[in-house]
Amino acid sequence: MAVTMGGQDGASAASGAALPAVLGGTPAFPEGLPLTRVQVPDRAELDRRFDAILTSGQLTNGDTVRELEDAAAEFLDVPHVVAVASCTSGLMLALQAFGVAGRRVVMPSFTFSATAHAAHWAGALPGFADVDHATLTLDPGSASREIDASEGSPPTVAALMATHVYGTPCHVEELDKVATEWGVPLLYDAAHAFGSRRAGAPVGGFGTAEVFSLSPTKVLAAAEGGLVATRDAALAETIRLGRGYGNPGDYDCVFPGLNARMSELHAALALVSLRTLPERVAHRGALAAAFAARIEGLPGVRLPALADGDTSTWKDLTLIVDPAEFGCGVPVLAAALKAEGIDSRRYFHPAVHVQKAYAPLHGAWRLPVTEEMADRVLTVPLWSHMDETTILRVADAVVRIQAHAARL
């Protein structure tokens, strides 16, 4: 589904829109509409699994974790999946296995901070590259230029990282060419993307490895946890060893690992959730399409582009707002939505390269698209069990606000 804006529906609706709540109109959601709501899977099966785990006394690194790894590998069509405590720990272990310490990892700055944090904790330096204007995912050309610019003097580039932002698949074919050209491993922060597909193929089998998050806001949730998917047997074994301190079993640690094991209880929750994942991804896609249709033709607002043949989890429903055309900027829009009772977040603002944690490095990169998009994005509520009426009420609130933006 290529999500684009054009036509007359939103514009026509705007011309006769009622007052938004911030100007005295009736709030769309007087009871409040949170950004996310967790959908707990089949309670009966969960109770059965939890009871069996608690009765066994095996609370971590047991049969349920292995069952999840096998089920995820089958779903993703990859030979190896390693369950870990979080996506961040999975990224850290993969980067450690790549030997990035003291070297540079090229990555987007338009991403959640954990992408860069993982490289830092693995002993690497970030090399930030720009993103594509349409998809907000890593621009392969910018990534290649950043690698090239880092080759002239140490530290050299040790790896390339990319993020499937909001579940939108990256330009995986072009990024693979960049990684091959420069002879570096390609790691995907796939935190948002368990259930996404690139040209019909599951996200999970691209690059050297892909790492997913199972935290509560994700479409596949385990309360907390992560999954590392790879076709590289040696890498999978290294990560499996690393999640248990690097201890092969005799306490003579092979390398400094982490306590990054997933508990049996978290694995059980993920397993039950996995059974209905395709239905949830399809429903979220339908809601995103309904939202896009409702605001079609509305000036100055669009959703990230999704290529024909691709599937996104739509982990986040994020608007890209052009203040000049929309009539107001993101902070004003967010305040107006709050008056409607609608929660929102600026995912991702500020961009990583200008955050306090990385501010000492600021000035080394010119990322015009990243900085523009970071100022223009606003995420609105979308949940797996939201109904179409609710998402359309959110869209209608955006239409009303735009119609009266000059007064805000």
Side-chain angles (χ1 to χ4, degrees), residues 25 34 37 69 74 78 89 101 106 111 113 120 123 136 145 193 203 220 222 271 291 311 321 333 355 384 400 403:
R37 279 182 179 164
E69 291 173 336
E74 181 178 1
V78 295
S89 63
V106 170
T111 184
S113 55
H120 171 84
L136 308 190
R145 290 189 293 273
V203 166
L220 177 65
L271 266 170
F291 184 97
T311 299
V321 179
L333 174 58
Q355 292 179 17
S384 295
R400 286 197 303 278

Side-chain angles (χ1 to χ4, degrees), residues 80-395:
H80 309 287
V81 169
V82 183
V84 288
S86 67
C87 179
T88 307
S89 63
L91 293 171
M92 291 164 61
L93 290 168
L95 289 169
Q96 181 189 51
F98 296 160
V100 302
R103 302 166 71 191
R104 194 176 298 281
V105 176
V106 170
M107 66 184 74
S109 175
F110 190 84
T111 184
F112 186 57
S113 55
T115 311
H117 291 354
H120 171 84
W121 281 102
L125 297 170
F128 293 114
D130 219 338
V131 292
D132 176 79
H133 182 270
T135 66
L136 308 190
T137 62
L138 182 63
D139 179 344
S142 179
S144 183
R145 290 189 293 273
E146 177 61 28
I147 296 174
D148 189 27
S150 300
E151 287 298 296
S153 60
T156 59
V157 173
L160 175 62
M161 292 180 72
T163 303
H164 301 296
V165 178
Y166 315 135
T168 302
C170 290
H171 303 283
V172 295
E173 302 83 3
E174 297 174 52
L175 289 171
D176 186 65
K177 290 178 182 177
V178 172
T180 300
E181 176 186 356
W182 290 102
V184 295
L186 172 56
L187 179 63
Y188 285 102
D189 182 339
H192 299 173
F194 199 108
S196 294
R197 289 177 174 266
R198 173 66 169 177
V203 166
F206 300 111
T208 311
E210 304 206 51
V211 188
F212 300 95
S213 172
L214 306 181
S215 66
T217 61
K218 306 307 185 292
V219 185
L220 177 65
E224 293 293 349
L227 297 170
V228 182
T230 182
R231 301 186 185 281
D232 186 327
L235 176 62
E237 185 55 34
T238 299
I239 294 172
R240 203 175 297 280
L241 189 62
R243 72 179 176 185
Y245 302 99
N247 174 16
D250 59 2
Y251 294 94
D252 187 4
C253 293
V254 180
F255 58 85
L258 302 170
N259 178 3
R261 299 185 298 264
M262 178 185 288
S263 83
E264 291 284 281
L265 297 171
H266 290 93
L269 183 55
L271 266 170
V272 179
S273 180
L274 181 59
R275 295 192 177 180
T276 55
L277 178 67
E279 292 82 1
R280 292 198 302 281
V281 171
H283 181 61
R284 295 173 79 95
L287 292 178
F291 184 97
R294 194 69 142 206
I295 65 169
E296 189 174 4
L298 200 64
V301 62
R302 66 180 176 92
L303 303 183
L306 183 65
D308 289 334
D310 283 6
T311 299
S312 174
T313 59
W314 293 99
K315 183 267 173 188
D316 293 313
L317 182 61
T318 297
L319 314 182
I320 304 170
V321 179
D322 182 335
E325 294 185 14
F326 189 80
C328 67
V330 166
V332 173
L333 174 58
L337 287 172
K338 184 176 181 180
E340 299 286 349
I342 300 170
D343 195 11
S344 66
R345 296 288 188 281
R346 300 183 71 178
Y347 292 151
F348 299 101
H349 174 88
V352 177
H353 73 287
V354 297
Q355 292 179 17
K356 294 181 179 68
Y358 298 94
L361 302 174
H362 186 46
W365 296 277
R366 296 291 179 263
L367 307 176
V369 180
T370 293
E371 290 167 10
E372 178 186 6
M373 293 299 104
D375 284 341
R376 292 187 174 190
V377 290
L378 186 68
T379 301
V380 297
L382 176 66
W383 334 312
S384 295
H385 53 304
M386 180 181 283
D387 58 34
E388 185 175 300
T389 299
T390 301
I391 201 67
L392 292 179
R393 287 167 65 194
V394 176

